[in-house]
Amino acid sequence: VPLVESGGGSVQAGGSLRLSCRVTGYTFCMGWFRQAPGKEREGVALVDNDGRTNTSNSVKGRFTISKDNAKNTLYLQMNNLKSEDTGMYYCAALVGGGNWVCELYCGGGDCYANFPLGVRYNRWGQGTQVTVSS
């Protein structure tokens, strides 16, 4: 299940960007994560196989995750960008799954689709840089 991201770049604060991630194959959870220099990776938003979404509080109301099944593409629309949104953004997916709700938890160097069960996101893109200048 290759993941290929695109759409990063440099923008001024208050601007917008849209990230895209092309996915092939079946996935149970799909999400966007980001990592700023010197900080741990954090979950930004996810969508599951039933179309349910979850967005982190830090971007809620500004970022929207969506997917186009016909195009096999995951999107992250980012509006009203802030300098603290700067970082490398990664598309990730879980191939496989179960009868549970997908999560966005990252800790100890891993990111989990189900932390209590120890299920990690197991497919990652190469990342795309987003830089927001104030």
Side-chain angles (χ1 to χ4, degrees):
V1 184
L3 304 181
V4 181
E5 302 119 331
S6 61
S10 296
V11 65
Q12 288 191 328
S16 298
L17 285 172
R18 188 175 79 159
L19 306 183
S20 299
C21 175
R22 187 162 177 82
V23 184
T24 55
Y26 171 79
T27 60
F28 186 68
C29 313
M30 290 199 66
W32 289 98
F33 297 80
R34 66 185 182 186
Q35 189 165 19
K39 293 189 177 181
E40 190 161 355
R41 193 169 295 189
E42 64 171 337
V44 175
L46 70 82
V47 59
D48 69 13
N49 204 39
D50 291 326
R52 291 174 295 197
T53 62
N54 187 15
T55 307
S56 72
N57 288 334
S58 61
V59 303
K60 197 160 290 186
R62 300 188 297 120
F63 291 13
T64 303
I65 189 170
S66 62
K67 65 177 180 176
D68 185 328
N69 292 325
K71 296 182 179 179
N72 295 323
T73 303
L74 180 73
Y75 300 101
L76 184 67
Q77 178 66 44
M78 306 185 294
N79 297 328
N80 191 20
L81 283 158
K82 304 177 180 180
S83 57
E84 52 262 42
D85 296 318
T86 294
M88 188 69 78
Y89 282 69
Y90 299 91
C91 173
L94 170 66
V95 177
N99 186 25
W100 35 262
V101 177
C102 300
E103 298 174 8
L104 272 174
Y105 176 76
C106 293
D110 284 311
C111 294
Y112 296 85
N114 187 308
F115 180 66
L117 295 178
V119 180
R120 297 170 176 82
Y121 284 88
N122 53 17
R123 295 292 185 273
W124 289 85
Q126 79 284 357
T128 184
Q129 178 68 35
V130 171
T131 303
V132 184
S133 57
S134 56

